[in-house]
Amino acid sequence: GYDAAVLMEVIEHVDETRLPALEHSVFGAARPTTVVVTTPNVEYNVRFPTLPAGKMRHTDHRFEWTRVQFRTWAENVARRYGYQVRYLPVGPDDPEVGPPTQLAVFTV
């Protein structure tokens, strides 16, 4: 009976092995009509002049995904739980590395 859930800059703080439990809780048990998920785009990290190469944006991040990795995850979640998914950039959409933040909108 939930209208929406927002996971804003959340998934990268969860161990990848625990993502299935998060997915089930949100998409399977709560099953809101709309789910919005944002996460850093690791490809954009090269645009941060003070971020050393190979380092993540925050020390608590368990991972940072490329655009392909994020879309693969989102497509799989959408298929498993019966959602449609679309993507939007957050921030300037750099023609080489994409936006700094990735956003997926899941809808039933």
Side-chain angles (χ1 to χ4, degrees):
Y2 295 103
D3 292 329
V6 177
L7 298 173
M8 186 168 61
E9 304 299 308
V10 169
I11 63 171
E12 66 275 6
H13 294 273
V14 176
D15 291 327
E16 285 188 83
T17 57
R18 299 195 65 184
L19 280 178
L22 175 79
E23 295 162 12
H24 174 73
S25 295
V26 173
F27 295 94
R31 194 151 179 78
T33 304
T34 302
V35 180
V36 177
V37 179
T38 69
T39 193
N41 169 15
V42 71
E43 295 165 272
Y44 193 88
N45 287 359
V46 298
R47 299 295 189 247
F48 294 115
T50 59
L51 185 63
K55 292 289 185 178
M56 288 190 246
R57 296 182 199 179
H58 191 278
T59 56
D60 188 55
H61 286 181
R62 304 305 201 268
F63 59 86
E64 291 180 357
W65 283 336
T66 65
R67 290 168 289 170
V68 169
Q69 289 171 308
F70 181 57
R71 284 177 181 241
T72 299
W73 172 81
E75 295 291 336
N76 287 333
V77 168
R79 187 183 68 255
R80 276 194 302 274
Y81 293 99
Y83 282 78
Q84 298 296 313
V85 63
R86 65 186 174 95
Y87 307 95
L88 298 165
V90 177
D93 198 355
D94 185 290
E96 293 176 10
V97 296
T101 299
Q102 310 179 73
L103 184 145
V105 179
F106 297 84
T107 53
V108 176

